[in-house]
Amino acid sequence: MEPTTELIDSYLRALWEHRATDLLITAGSPPFMRVDGALAPVPGASALTGNDTNQVVVSLLGSDLAARFEAEREVDLSFSWGEHARFRANAFHQRGHASLALRLIPNRIPSFEDLGLPAVVNRLVDLPQGLILVTGPTGSGKSTTLASMIDAINERRACHIISIEDPIEYVHGNKRSAVDQREVGIDTDSFGRALRAAFREDPDVLLVGEMRDNETIQATLTLAETGHLVFATLHTNDAAQTVDRVVDVFPAEQQAQIRTQLSGTLEAIISQRLIPRIGGGRAAAFEVLLATYAVRNIVRDGRTNQLRNVIATQSQEGMHTLEMSLSRLVAEQLVSHEQAVKHTLHPNEVKGAPSATAV
């Protein structure tokens, strides 16, 4: 093993041992890892020079990706690390030196119970068709939630699942389903091209790693219209913002059509956050919007400012706001009130008094 490979392997071991989620390598400082959402230096690691970071990055990329990295100045990749985990990574340049950001992805796909997913998810994965959006900021656990949902379908149903990812994160074996995972840049040139081809690949279920542009969104909506169950992600904060983002990427003259398509295909929007737990680790909080008749009308008519009120008053349907979810976590003493209110735009709606030790 080359010395540089030994170095990166020692960082990955530290990441695993400390149950960290991310590793950041940049010139001029020791590598940092993210534990329970907070950055800390890797214990015992020295500050890295620009030459160190360049060698670490090149050792991971290999010749083909290294040439692409040199030409394009940044590159996405994923790789396996023994039997422990996979890593999703982005290599990039800053101030003339190579840097690296890695996200740890355990080989074991968590269950619904492990993740604390809303009970309604059990019903959603059994739907024959429609669009399910999982949203939230970067690092909020969207990929893990989607992997758990796809794994449940894989265990329950005999169907054809196609995922389009950039890069592939969780690896799915064939259980009751046949699973084909396509990586942008390796198995296909782009999300748009892979989605167009999917119509001819006999899928029942599709996972779209990210709806990035109007071409991807249009193809995703059409697939959901034509008898497929489609899962996709967006970097949005709540249901109303998600609907607006989908519609607003299109020119004004197309937006009415897109709202109609979305209102007809949408089944659910799940928005999530990860909150530091009391005692370590993180707990997930969720907003859940289900496409009832009233919700479909609101989406079609562009009255997205009314969605939050529908969510808050339709808990009997399985919907709930993020603040309801945060209040439950506080009541169960999984997260503190102080942490809960940091993750909402409506802190007054989070129930539970601040702890007596609060400053």
Side-chain angles (χ1 to χ4, degrees):
M1 181 182 288
E2 294 294 326
T4 305
T5 308
E6 291 176 355
L7 187 65
I8 187 67
D9 197 60
S10 71
Y11 298 156
L12 299 184
R13 283 197 302 272
L15 198 73
W16 181 262
E17 290 166 2
H18 288 83
R19 299 185 178 181
T21 56
D22 299 83
L23 178 69
L24 301 175
I25 293 175
T26 189
S29 71
F32 284 88
M33 59 184 181
R34 192 177 294 278
V35 182
D36 298 340
L39 283 179
V42 171
S46 302
L48 299 171
T49 66
N51 187 53
D52 292 333
T53 62
N54 292 340
Q55 289 186 31
V56 166
V57 170
V58 169
S59 73
L60 277 180
L61 294 182
S63 57
D64 289 346
L65 277 179
R68 182 176 159 196
F69 177 58
E70 185 62 29
E72 299 181 6
R73 315 309 290 168
E74 60 258 329
V75 67
D76 291 319
L77 67 148
S78 60
F79 60 92
S80 295
W81 183 56
E83 297 180 357
H84 296 291
R86 286 174 57 79
F87 283 89
R88 181 185 75 195
N90 178 268
F92 58 99
H93 283 86
Q94 64 90 26
R95 293 190 292 177
H97 299 299
S99 294
L100 191 67
L102 299 101
R103 168 69 52 83
L104 186 149
I105 304 164
N107 282 337
R108 176 182 170 271
I109 299 173
S111 67
F112 293 176
E113 293 74 22
D114 292 334
L115 299 177
L117 294 184
V120 72
V121 169
N122 260 307
R123 188 170 83 230
L124 295 176
V125 296
D126 289 333
L127 291 172
Q129 66 186 66
L131 177 64
I132 297 169
L133 298 175
V134 177
T135 77
T138 299
S140 60
K142 299 185 296 296
S143 297
T144 305
T145 293
L146 285 168
S148 184
M149 296 172 80
I150 293 296
D151 190 54
I153 294 172
N154 194 8
E155 290 181 341
R156 298 180 188 183
R157 296 163 59 179
C159 63
H160 184 198
I161 301 169
I162 294 177
S163 75
I164 306 164
E165 303 173 67
D166 183 19
I168 290 172
E169 299 187 20
Y170 288 92
V171 174
H172 296 270
N174 297 322
K175 297 179 181 178
R176 289 196 68 195
S177 294
V179 185
D180 288 314
Q181 294 181 262
R182 308 193 67 198
E183 183 166 321
V184 175
I186 295 176
D187 303 308
T188 182
D189 289 338
S190 67
F191 277 103
R193 185 164 183 172
L195 284 166
R196 289 194 299 273
F199 286 98
R200 302 185 296 276
E201 293 164 355
D202 190 33
D204 300 292
V205 176
L206 287 109
L207 167 63
V208 183
E210 187 178 349
M211 296 201 301
R212 293 181 173 176
D213 50 41
N214 56 4
E215 180 188 21
T216 306
I217 293 172
Q218 180 69 78
T220 300
L221 291 173
T222 302
L223 281 160
E225 273 186 324
T226 52
H228 307 91
L229 181 61
V230 182
F231 297 84
T233 69
L234 281 168
H235 293 286
T236 51
N237 291 317
D238 56 27
Q241 189 181 91
T242 299
V243 172
D244 288 339
R245 179 73 56 84
V246 169
V247 173
D248 289 347
V249 299
F250 291 88
E253 63 271 16
Q254 286 183 255
Q255 291 182 3
Q257 175 196 340
I258 296 302
R259 282 196 296 268
T260 298
Q261 280 188 284
L262 183 59
S263 68
T265 58
L266 184 67
E267 292 293 343
I269 299 174
I270 300 171
S271 301
Q272 63 183 78
R273 304 287 188 283
L274 291 177
I275 319 298
R277 281 179 179 262
I278 296 171
R282 291 192 289 178
F286 302 91
E287 177 188 85
V288 178
L289 171 76
L290 302 176
T292 61
Y293 180 77
V295 166
R296 293 185 190 279
N297 284 339
I298 288 171
V299 172
R300 186 183 62 246
D301 297 342
R303 294 178 281 118
T304 53
N305 61 307
Q306 298 178 17
L307 288 176
R308 179 174 168 78
N309 184 58
V310 171
I311 295 170
T313 57
Q314 297 293 316
S315 58
Q316 73 276 11
E317 300 285 347
M319 299 192 225
H320 54 76
T321 65
L322 178 68
E323 293 69 35
M324 292 176 182
S325 182
L326 289 168
S327 297
R328 180 185 61 79
L329 293 176
V330 172
E332 294 176 359
Q333 298 185 335
L334 295 175
V335 306
S336 69
H337 184 271
E338 292 81 4
Q339 283 292 342
V341 298
K342 290 179 181 179
H343 293 81
T344 171
L345 297 175
H346 307 278
N348 292 337
E349 296 182 18
V350 179
K351 297 179 181 178
S355 66
T357 58
V359 178

